[in-house]
Each structure stands twice: as structure tokens, then as C-alpha cells.
Amino acid sequence: PSSSSDMIQVITKEEEEAKAEASRELVETLLSSPEAIKVKTRAIKRLPEPVLAWIKEQFQSIRDSGVLEMAASRALAALQRELKGAVEFMPYLEAIEKVRNEKRMLEMKENGKK
């Protein structure tokens, strides 16, 4: 029989793996974006070969280190927090909109009586 702490660890591990995969996919998507391709093409056309070789080496070092994925993970976590905050704030916005609409309807009725 597995304990609840084992189940929590499994869920946590699965969540971490899903986050890591999402980060990898985000990095790959960004690196293959039209804008990234334009930057790479401009660099190839304008920079001398030794500089390009150095840039490629540095970039590969960064890719191998996982720094891009960590940055993507942090960006996704920040976005997730922002979305959570927005979702929590939605009922307030809906209530404000409801009051606004009711006020507008009341004003229209009052203006129609005059």
C-alpha cells in the first residue's frame, strides 16, 4: 500500500516534469519563431565567421546549461500567478459591470420619463 506522502511525491514529480516539458517547448517555440530566425539570418549575413563561431559556441553553452528553460519556467510561473490573480479578480469586475449596466438602465428609464 502506498502512503499519501508517496502519492504527493508522485503528483509533485509529474507536475515538475510537465513544467519542465512546457519550458522546453516554450524555448523551442521561441527559438524557431520568425523573429528569432530573422535575427539569426541577419547575424549570419553581417558578422565575420570567427564572431559567428564564438556566438554559436556561447549560445550552445547556454542551451546546454538549461538556463533558457529555467527562465522560461519562471516566466510561465509568473504568467500562471498573473492569470490566477485575474481569475480571482473577475467576480469583482463582473459585479462592477453589473452595477454599471443597472445604473445605465435606470438613467435611460429616468431620461425616458422626462
Side-chain angles (χ1 to χ4, degrees), residues 5-93:
S5 66
D6 290 341
M7 296 224 7
I8 291 170
Q9 287 177 339
V10 169
I11 292 170
T12 303
K13 184 177 179 183
E14 288 174 356
E15 287 175 352
E16 289 302 315
E17 289 172 358
K19 288 177 184 178
E21 180 61 26
S23 297
R24 282 189 294 275
E25 288 177 13
L26 178 58
V27 168
E28 289 304 319
T29 299
L30 292 173
L31 293 176
S32 62
S33 71
E35 190 61 34
I37 292 169
K38 285 180 193 174
V39 168
K40 183 178 178 181
T41 303
R42 279 194 300 255
I44 290 170
K45 289 180 180 177
R46 294 181 180 171
L47 297 175
E49 186 57 39
V51 174
L52 282 174
W54 181 83
I55 290 173
K56 287 178 184 176
E57 185 179 295
Q58 297 303 308
F59 183 75
Q60 192 58 49
S61 176
I62 290 169
R63 287 298 313 268
D64 293 344
S65 73
V67 170
L68 295 176
E69 287 77 5
M70 287 188 314
S73 179
R74 288 184 184 136
L76 289 171
L79 180 59
Q80 191 174 30
R81 286 190 303 274
E82 290 295 322
L83 289 173
K84 183 180 178 192
V87 166
E88 290 173 356
F89 194 65
M90 278 304 282
Y92 299 105
L93 291 177

